[in-house]
Amino acid sequence: MNRVYIGFGSNLGCKVGNIRRAVALLSKEDSIQHMELSSFYKTDPVGGVEQDWFVNAVARFDTTLAAEELLSLCLEVERELKRVRVERWGPRTLDIDILFYGLEKVTEKDLQIPHPRICERAFVLVPLLELDSTLKLEDRELSDCLVRVADQGIERMKPVVAILGASPKPERYAHLAQQLLMETGHELALVAPRGEEILGVSVIDKLGKCQEPVDTVTLYIGSSRVDSVLEDLLEARPRRVIFNPGTENDSVRSILEREGIETQEACTLVLLRTGQF
């Protein structure tokens, strides 16, 4: 087994979801074990190309794959997620870079390990050091490199709870759940077909438009409508989906669980009031 660190970047589509789907695909390989993912970071683009902001993260895992085999697998995952990249350092659906492969040094045309620009990129250094603050590049502490990239914009992203079927009507359970979630300090993403904001929180019309890391989705739409949001749920890849009473859908729940997404049939209000959320 070799201890490996790889970096992810995305600034097209559902950025966090792209990275989560890549991690899920890599984790399905028997040759990859003990996968750990850093927090997600919102970062400014580098390289001088005008484009949208990025989401970056770093993963650590053990593998029996050779470095060249791992590179081939990463390229396959990029293709699977329909990577789009028009120009160097330009916008892309997904970018995967091998940062460290044990203690190996590789100098090939298409592969250099350790990655030659580790110390030049805050979006690499910060999540790397989150996973292991003692990492070194040769004899140099990686933490010493942070001073050189202090002017590069990087912000740790906060996980959110998405209310799918948010409502401005005070008598609706979705509205009551939003109030209680806000009172208990949760960051929220509200998904509803109409409206600009509810209780001061902005509303989006599609889960895939949420650019924050979605930890939990709580469903407040009829069970017959749940099929229509399956694609969005798979795109965002939350850790957990709560099927509130009246939203139960066994087929969707089975698909989510096969994709490694936790599901729960429960009342969000009850979970919050009993401290089980």
Side-chain angles (χ1 to χ4, degrees), residues 11-12 49 51 82-94:
N11 77 332
L12 291 175
V49 178
Q51 58 187 309
K82 299 179 175 61
R83 167 175 165 158
V84 176
R85 187 174 182 181
V86 178
E87 56 188 315
R88 189 183 189 200
W89 293 332
R92 77 288 307 267
T93 310
L94 181 70

Side-chain angles (χ1 to χ4, degrees), residues 210-231:
C210 178
Q211 293 297 349
E212 303 302 319
V214 181
D215 176 80
T216 297
V217 174
T218 179
L219 298 176
Y220 284 101
I221 58 176
S223 58
S224 61
R225 291 180 54 207
V226 173
D227 285 301
S228 66
V229 300
L230 174 59
E231 186 176 338

Side-chain angles (χ1 to χ4, degrees), residues 12-264:
L12 291 175
C14 186
K15 303 169 186 178
V16 170
N18 291 335
I19 295 173
R20 283 176 167 165
R21 283 181 287 160
V23 170
L25 288 170
L26 290 168
S27 298
K28 288 181 179 179
E29 297 291 326
D30 292 338
S31 54
I32 290 178
Q33 298 180 17
H34 312 126
M35 175 74 75
E36 297 176 78
L37 185 64
S38 72
S39 302
F40 294 99
Y41 290 86
K42 180 178 180 179
T43 64
D44 292 338
V46 298
V49 178
E50 288 286 336
Q51 58 187 309
D52 198 12
W53 53 273
F54 277 80
V55 171
N56 289 96
V58 167
R60 172 174 63 188
F61 55 84
D62 298 321
T63 185
T64 55
L65 292 173
E68 293 77 8
E69 292 173 320
L70 178 60
L71 175 63
S72 295
L73 177 60
C74 290
L75 293 174
E76 182 181 329
V77 169
E78 289 182 346
R79 288 191 294 269
E80 177 76 15
L81 295 181
K82 299 179 175 61
R83 167 175 165 158
V84 176
R85 187 174 182 181
V86 178
E87 56 188 315
R88 189 183 189 200
W89 293 332
R92 77 288 307 267
T93 310
L94 181 70
D95 195 20
I96 306 177
D97 289 315
I98 301 174
L99 305 173
F100 288 104
Y101 182 90
L103 298 177
E104 274 198 35
K105 293 183 179 180
V106 179
T107 306
E108 303 288 346
K109 179 182 177 182
D110 298 322
L111 181 62
Q112 293 185 340
I113 302 174
H115 194 283
R117 288 184 292 278
I118 286 176
C119 284
E120 300 171 15
R121 303 289 190 246
F123 63 74
V124 172
L125 285 170
V126 174
L128 256 179
L129 290 168
E130 177 191 326
L131 291 175
D132 187 344
S133 62
T134 66
L135 282 173
K136 294 182 179 181
L137 184 58
E138 296 177 345
D139 293 328
R140 185 176 186 182
E141 301 279 352
L142 282 189
S143 55
D144 294 340
C145 299
L146 285 173
V147 177
R148 294 175 52 189
V149 297
D151 60 336
Q152 295 179 11
I154 182 167
E155 176 187 351
R156 187 172 181 172
M157 303 175 78
K158 296 180 180 179
V160 301
V161 177
I163 300 178
L164 211 162
S167 175
K169 298 179 180 180
E171 70 276 11
R172 295 289 179 90
Y173 288 123
H175 193 92
L176 296 172
Q178 179 183 343
Q179 286 183 310
L180 196 49
L181 284 163
M182 292 171 67
E183 288 171 7
T184 50
H186 290 87
E187 299 287 332
L188 298 179
L190 305 184
V191 185
R194 295 182 301 275
E196 294 184 356
E197 64 175 43
I198 301 172
L199 297 176
V201 180
S202 298
V203 176
I204 54 177
D205 62 1
K206 184 179 171 67
L207 182 62
K209 291 183 179 179
C210 178
Q211 293 297 349
E212 303 302 319
V214 181
D215 176 80
T216 297
V217 174
T218 179
L219 298 176
Y220 284 101
I221 58 176
S223 58
S224 61
R225 291 180 54 207
V226 173
D227 285 301
S228 66
V229 300
L230 174 59
E231 186 176 338
D232 290 343
L233 291 170
L234 293 174
E235 184 179 8
R237 292 200 68 90
R239 176 183 63 86
R240 172 178 63 162
V241 177
I242 298 175
F243 289 77
N244 286 281
T247 71
E248 298 91 344
N249 187 309
D250 290 340
S251 63
V252 169
R253 190 175 180 190
S254 295
I255 292 170
L256 294 175
E257 290 180 346
R258 284 202 301 270
E259 289 296 316
I261 297 172
E262 178 186 339
T263 70
Q264 188 175 7

